[in-house]
Amino acid sequence: ERKSEARFLGVIVDENLTWSKHINALKTKMARYLGIMYKIKRLLPEKARLQIFQSLVQSHINFCSLVWGFASKTLIEGLFTRQKQGIRAVTSGYVNYKYKDGAPPAHTKPYFAKHDVLTVHNVVVKNALTIMHKIRYMPSTLPKSIRELFPDNIPNHGSTHETCNEWLSTYNRAILQ
């Protein structure tokens, strides 16, 4: 029987690799947690609310973000909206999170900076740069299956046009076989 989606190591993989099912599941989980966070907002100090935010919201954003993080912009923006709602639940006092009396919602950028929280976009970029750094400078720290994806003679900053073409012809030949 053919299935349109499967859960693998906590990530929902759909048949078109759009990641929409996974991101929508994340948004649903986050909405549940945000409701709890808003209910306890006046009961706990800001530091405790920030720890709850990190464990209930930010951890889900960080988990496997290299896999689903390059999904369509609209999917990622929906996740970012939930993340902003979460940071508003952490912040002390009243924060306008919906259009009220014609006033737009309060900007969350200063709150992200104040609490040293990376946005979903920045989490994806940070994780991508981290893996690229490990591939280049610390390949022994990576699993063998990932190391083998990148040959030793891969072009780098000091490569010449000739060496890049040589590597590309070898790489293309290996892929086409």
Side-chain angles (χ1 to χ4, degrees):
E1 167 185 351
R2 183 182 168 106
K3 302 231 178 195
S4 63
E5 63 187 56
R7 184 177 290 270
F8 183 70
L9 298 175
V11 178
I12 302 171
V13 182
D14 60 55
E15 62 186 344
N16 296 324
L17 296 178
T18 61
W19 310 108
S20 60
K21 300 274 186 185
H22 179 75
I23 292 174
N24 287 333
L26 277 180
K27 289 186 339 188
T28 302
K29 276 185 194 176
M30 289 168 68
R32 197 174 319 127
Y33 299 143
L34 293 175
I36 294 168
M37 289 176 65
Y38 273 105
K39 286 183 180 181
I40 63 171
K41 182 173 181 171
R42 288 176 176 59
L43 303 175
L44 296 174
E46 191 171 284
K47 187 174 182 178
R49 291 193 308 266
L50 182 61
Q51 288 177 334
I52 291 169
F53 171 80
Q54 292 285 359
S55 62
L56 295 180
V57 176
Q58 207 61 11
S59 63
H60 288 288
I61 290 172
N62 203 21
F63 181 72
C64 286
S65 65
L66 274 179
V67 174
W68 55 261
F70 295 99
S72 72
K73 183 179 179 180
T74 54
L75 289 172
I76 299 298
E77 287 299 318
L79 206 52
F80 182 47
T81 300
R82 290 277 197 253
Q83 187 185 27
K84 290 191 297 186
Q85 290 171 347
I87 204 74
R88 287 183 182 112
V90 169
T91 305
S92 298
Y94 175 76
V95 178
N96 185 18
Y97 63 95
K98 292 184 179 175
Y99 281 90
K100 187 171 183 176
D101 300 327
H107 291 289
T108 54
K109 192 172 185 175
Y111 303 126
F112 279 102
K114 175 185 175 188
H115 297 298
D116 292 324
V117 175
L118 294 176
T119 65
V120 65
H121 308 91
N122 291 339
V123 167
V124 172
V125 169
K126 179 199 73 129
N127 289 338
L129 289 173
T130 300
I131 194 80
M132 289 169 51
H133 179 79
K134 285 182 178 182
I135 289 166
R136 181 74 180 122
Y137 297 106
M138 300 181 292
S140 61
T141 63
L142 296 169
K144 185 179 177 186
S145 58
I146 302 240
R147 266 195 321 261
E148 289 175 349
L149 291 173
F150 303 94
D152 293 334
N153 65 345
I154 195 166
N156 59 28
H157 181 68
S159 299
T160 64
H161 180 72
E162 291 78 23
T163 58
C164 287
N165 280 338
E166 178 183 317
W167 178 83
L168 192 56
S169 66
T170 305
Y171 180 73
N172 282 340
R173 192 169 42 249
I175 291 227
L176 294 175
Q177 291 176 352

